[in-house]
Amino acid sequence: HQGQRCFILGNGPSLAKMDLTPLEDEITFGLNRIYLLFDKIPFVPTYYVSVNELVLEQFASEIKELRMPKFINWNSRKHYRQNDLAANFLRLRLSLRDGFNTEIGGQFYSGGTVTYVTLQLAYIMGFSEVVLIGVDHSFVDKGIPNKAEVRNSMNDENHFHPDYFPKGSKWQLPDLRRSELAYTLAKQEFEKDGRKIVDATTDGKLTVFEKVKFEDLW
């Protein structure tokens, strides 16, 4: 995808409020449970990425049915068919500090969010411009980041679909500060190579990237 543009679809509530029809002819990355939106949009993402082990374990039966190229955490491989030609397994690097992987055979840094892993993939694939949407970078629920908890409420207000993490499922509150530091690394790496990342999220709280209006991209 040398020199092309792509869109990364985050999973924030703002995604459900957008008209995503213009993305039908664009290259897109869908994350985690993006398929819950498939009945409302006229396309399926070009690529799928998920590295959160709780997501990959609890929703394996749904994710296995996706036919676009999938990038999945190697640690969760036992839940997936090894002969699934659409599945590509990524190794995550355990580190006290995040870096930015630029080689397809290298280990990926999580940055505390699947969006950061996807930015590394987009860089490796050669995209010159990456547009973020649905990366709200704010959560209604409060608590300890990275701690696995069982959801007690019926509706998930942190994501674009009320059943994203349904009652009784396990989830982790993300570490937003860690993600901000990682996003800053991504911004530096892209700009160092004459490329860019822009943020077209509606009312998003992330301040690392240049803000643009979604409707002005065409």
Side-chain angles (χ1 to χ4, degrees):
H1 295 293
Q2 193 75 30
Q4 293 182 290
R5 175 174 76 172
C6 72
F7 289 75
I8 296 177
L9 282 60
N11 293 159
S14 68
L15 197 67
K17 303 172 186 176
M18 298 179 66
D19 176 11
L20 301 178
T21 305
L23 298 181
E24 188 171 5
D25 296 321
E26 298 284 340
I27 301 168
T28 53
F29 288 86
L31 315 179
N32 289 341
R33 302 200 75 198
I34 187 63
Y35 50 83
L36 293 175
L37 201 62
F38 284 3
D39 61 342
K40 294 181 174 63
I41 57 177
F43 66 94
V44 294
T46 315
Y47 300 105
Y48 171 84
V49 188
S50 184
V51 295
N52 185 291
E53 293 180 37
L54 292 179
V55 171
L56 290 169
E57 176 183 350
Q58 294 177 104
F59 309 110
S61 61
E62 299 165 352
I63 295 170
K64 283 189 290 190
E65 296 304 312
L66 301 176
R67 300 271 47 93
M68 76 284 284
K70 302 186 289 263
F71 295 92
I72 295 173
N73 189 340
W74 170 256
N75 293 340
S76 299
R77 64 191 181 281
K78 67 180 180 181
H79 303 293
Y80 295 85
R81 297 184 296 269
Q82 300 301 299
N83 62 351
D84 182 353
L85 297 181
N88 305 276
F89 294 96
L90 305 178
R91 283 192 184 275
L92 294 190
R93 182 184 180 95
L94 296 177
S95 176
L96 293 177
R97 297 181 63 183
D98 288 305
F100 189 86
N101 178 37
T102 60
E103 300 292 337
I104 192 61
Q107 293 182 326
F108 288 74
Y109 295 85
S110 80
T113 169
V114 64
T115 306
Y116 188 62
V117 174
T118 309
L119 284 170
Q120 293 165 81
L121 277 169
Y123 183 95
I124 291 165
M125 289 182 177
F127 289 102
S128 61
E129 180 180 7
V130 178
V131 183
L132 303 179
I133 59 173
V135 182
D136 294 38
H137 200 64
S138 63
F139 289 78
V140 174
D141 289 9
K142 307 299 178 185
I144 302 172
N146 303 319
K147 179 182 178 182
E149 298 180 348
V150 177
R151 287 196 57 80
N152 294 317
S153 57
M154 290 298 295
N155 293 331
D156 184 345
E157 298 181 72
N158 301 296
H159 298 93
F160 66 81
H161 195 285
D163 292 329
Y164 192 95
F165 280 113
K167 184 177 181 179
S169 65
K170 294 180 181 179
W171 86 301
Q172 297 160 308
L173 192 71
D175 185 341
L176 297 182
R177 179 56 181 157
R178 177 185 177 186
S179 297
E180 290 169 4
L181 294 171
Y183 287 145
T184 301
L185 283 177
K187 183 176 187 289
Q188 293 170 350
E189 290 295 328
F190 269 77
E191 291 180 352
K192 189 164 58 177
D193 198 32
R195 304 193 250 173
K196 65 178 180 178
I197 304 167
V198 297
D199 185 357
T201 299
T202 303
D203 298 324
K205 300 300 187 289
L206 184 62
T207 59
V208 173
F209 305 111
E210 175 191 352
K211 297 284 189 180
V212 297
K213 290 185 177 180
F214 184 71
E215 58 270 21
D216 291 342
L217 295 172
W218 290 272

